[in-house]
Amino acid sequence: MAWDFSTDPEFQDKLDWVGRFCQEKVEPFDYVFPHAVRWPDPVVKAYVRELQQEVKDQGLWAIFLDKDLGGPGFGQLKLALLNEVIGRYSGAPSMFGASAPDTGNMEILAAYGTEGQKKRWLEPLLNQDMFSAFSMTEPQGGSDPNLFRTHAERNGDEWVINGEKWFTSAGRVADLLFVMCTNGMFVVPRATPGVEIMPEPRNHNHIVYRDVRVPLDHLLGPENGAKVLAQRRLGGGRIHHAMRTIAQCKLAFDMMCERALSRESHGSLIAEHQMVQEKIAESYAAIRMLRLFVLETAWKIDQTSTLEARTDIAAVKFTMARVLREVSYNALHILGSLGTTDLTPIQAMYASAPTMGIADGVDEVHKATVARRVLKGYRPHEGYWPTEYIPAKRAEAWRRMRPVLDARPDLARAAEKYAGHR
């Protein structure tokens, strides 16, 4: 029986390198040049390329792709451990060629794209010469594909797309839009006539597709295959997201503990106050439990598939939102008034927790999925009483023990004596 929680030394060396690289180079650069990956300035771009080359030299570029798709093929468990480190630094995913929403779009391009589509779009996305967005959610239907209305009609040698999409993150600055229609997934260059981006929201864009025409070869994967592509995109992505969330929780936890040991209240360090100790203890336990759950789920995906691990993936999704909310709130509370400002990362973490419970499908939907799938493994009990109804269990125990008691009168007398004392 194998039961091991350790990381092999060779891969631990990789994790240690990633930690040093992010702390020593990525974090300071990100504070001086926030969002620099998308900057057109050639001098800044050249330095970004230098940092990214260091990542490539370590074999850590595009870490989310399997070997057969052109990546390092780490598998979900190793990928989860990497994202736990990278997720602490906002600028790190881009430096590793692993920032959303490009990662998921590149994965489905690599898995389902034709050679021509890969040459045209995947290579520029991998090189960060292009950026993309995933246009799925709709105003009237949320993230439920069964309620979508955006549709593509074939007209000669073109597809004509009509519909509306809501919360297309980074759609305004994307070169390519991966548009989920009722009858397929389509790659739409943002500059295509008919693509109208609404003024609000600024970051998670509302986009109207009005008679948008794209060539036939802009269909990604099979016609009517959008749901399959979306599940391929979202399944493993939720695990990556969960580990980056854990990294944020650990950052909040570190700040919480540091503050508890640095401030006094009512004549003693606040770390000595029981209510503060309670928040620290509960936060520690919540982070540890979530981390083990996510790593086990990643391991399960590696051993089977995202489909087989669907129940745990869904459970991870709604659990990580709750843990982020609770831990960031505890940290905010312990930091006091400073925690309510934008002078530390805490306020942004706490503000992002509700979004975490909505993005990639609302938590309620995932909870319902988990409950339905778990209940498939159970059956209703017969008659009035549940399986663990003690009087019935006791009667059954006497029935099953009767041959033994009949063969051993001394044991039978002892049993009667025990029964008399109840």
Side-chain angles (χ1 to χ4, degrees):
M1 176 180 177
W3 189 255
D4 193 355
F5 291 94
S6 62
T7 304
D8 68 76
E10 183 178 350
F11 194 70
Q12 186 59 54
D13 289 342
K14 286 288 187 188
L15 295 175
D16 293 340
W17 182 88
V18 172
R20 291 192 303 271
F21 177 75
C22 288
Q23 186 176 37
E24 296 170 5
K25 297 187 177 182
V26 176
E27 185 179 42
F29 179 72
D30 196 42
Y31 273 107
V32 176
F33 296 101
H35 312 296
V37 168
R38 294 178 182 265
W39 277 33
D41 186 315
V43 175
V44 176
K45 194 73 172 178
Y47 186 66
V48 169
R49 296 298 195 196
E50 288 180 29
L51 295 180
Q52 291 176 335
Q53 188 57 51
E54 291 189 47
V55 171
K56 292 176 181 178
D57 292 343
Q58 291 288 327
L60 294 169
W61 184 253
I63 54 177
F64 59 95
L65 286 178
D66 293 336
K67 279 187 177 179
D68 60 334
L69 300 180
F74 285 128
Q76 293 299 320
L77 182 57
K78 287 184 175 180
L79 191 52
L81 293 169
L82 282 165
N83 275 292
E84 183 181 22
V85 182
I86 294 169
R88 191 179 178 102
Y89 307 92
S90 60
S94 295
M95 290 298 179
F96 285 76
S99 58
D102 289 315
T103 48
N105 294 337
M106 285 190 277
E107 185 173 357
I108 57 175
L109 256 177
Y112 296 99
T114 64
E115 289 306 311
Q117 289 172 333
K118 292 177 184 179
K119 187 72 176 176
R120 186 174 183 180
W121 297 313
L122 180 58
E123 291 182 17
L125 285 171
L126 278 170
N127 294 330
Q128 292 186 351
D129 295 322
M130 280 185 175
F131 297 94
S132 65
F134 189 57
S135 204
M136 182 184 81
T137 306
E138 296 195 1
Q140 81 294 334
S143 58
D144 184 352
N146 296 316
L147 299 177
F148 288 175
R149 297 175 184 167
T150 302
H151 187 73
E153 286 285 344
R154 183 166 180 168
N155 188 314
D157 59 356
E158 293 180 315
W159 293 100
V160 182
I161 300 172
N162 281 283
E164 287 186 67
K165 293 293 183 178
W166 170 251
F167 252 58
T168 298
S169 302
R172 185 183 304 279
V173 293
D175 300 290
L176 301 174
L177 301 165
F178 285 65
V179 185
M180 188 171 176
C181 295
T182 57
N183 57 328
M185 186 81 70
F186 296 85
V187 181
V188 179
R190 179 177 53 83
T192 305
V195 175
E196 185 179 357
I197 299 178
M198 301 293 103
E200 302 292 343
R202 295 292 300 172
N203 297 321
H204 305 286
N205 306 123
H206 178 191
I207 303 178
V208 177
Y209 297 90
R210 188 175 286 111
D211 291 330
V212 174
R213 292 178 173 270
V214 295
L216 293 180
D217 64 2
H218 283 45
L219 170 66
L220 181 58
E223 191 172 352
N224 298 313
K227 289 183 182 180
V228 175
L229 271 65
Q231 282 304 317
R232 169 66 183 258
R233 185 187 189 281
L234 295 171
R238 290 186 178 118
I239 298 302
H240 314 164
H241 205 174
M243 290 305 287
R244 293 182 189 182
T245 299
I246 290 169
Q248 289 295 296
C249 288
K250 290 172 72 174
L251 176 58
F253 185 77
D254 290 345
M255 295 175 65
M256 181 194 317
C257 293
E258 178 188 67
R259 189 69 165 179
L261 293 169
S262 304
R263 295 299 295 269
E264 292 187 4
S265 176
H266 300 286
S268 64
L269 287 172
I270 62 173
E272 297 173 10
H273 297 179
Q274 286 187 336
M275 292 186 72
V276 171
Q277 292 171 350
E278 179 186 42
K279 292 182 186 299
I280 290 172
E282 289 185 347
S283 297
Y284 175 81
I287 294 170
R288 296 298 298 173
M289 287 188 286
L290 176 60
R291 183 178 188 271
L292 287 172
F293 186 20
V294 176
L295 291 177
E296 185 201 22
T297 303
W299 174 87
K300 189 178 291 186
I301 295 172
D302 286 343
Q303 303 303 310
T304 56
S305 66
T306 54
L307 184 61
E308 290 292 322
R310 183 183 171 191
T311 303
D312 287 345
I313 292 171
V316 160
K317 197 277 175 185
F318 65 75
T319 303
M320 69 178 179
R322 185 183 70 240
V323 172
L324 176 63
R325 181 175 65 249
E326 293 173 352
V327 172
S328 61
Y329 175 77
N330 288 342
L332 187 155
H333 200 68
I334 289 175
L335 262 70
S337 57
L338 179 61
T340 67
T341 72
D342 60 359
L343 300 176
T344 77
I346 295 296
Q347 179 63 34
M349 286 182 201
Y350 185 56
S352 70
T355 302
M356 186 76 72
I358 296 173
D360 290 346
V362 296
D363 283 354
E364 289 78 5
V365 170
H366 289 287
K367 289 177 181 179
T369 296
V370 170
R372 285 196 302 267
R373 292 179 66 85
V374 167
L375 287 171
K376 288 179 180 179
Y378 291 84
R379 294 292 179 269
H381 61 74
E382 297 180 1
Y384 293 122
W385 315 118
T387 303
E388 297 302 318
Y389 183 62
I390 290 176
K393 294 276 283 191
R394 187 181 293 121
E396 175 64 11
W398 274 93
R399 186 190 68 77
R400 294 171 64 183
M401 284 287 295
R402 180 52 58 192
V404 177
L405 298 177
D406 289 346
R408 302 192 43 184
D410 56 337
L411 192 60
R413 287 192 294 272
E416 294 292 346
K417 184 178 179 180
Y418 267 79
H421 284 299
R422 283 205 311 272

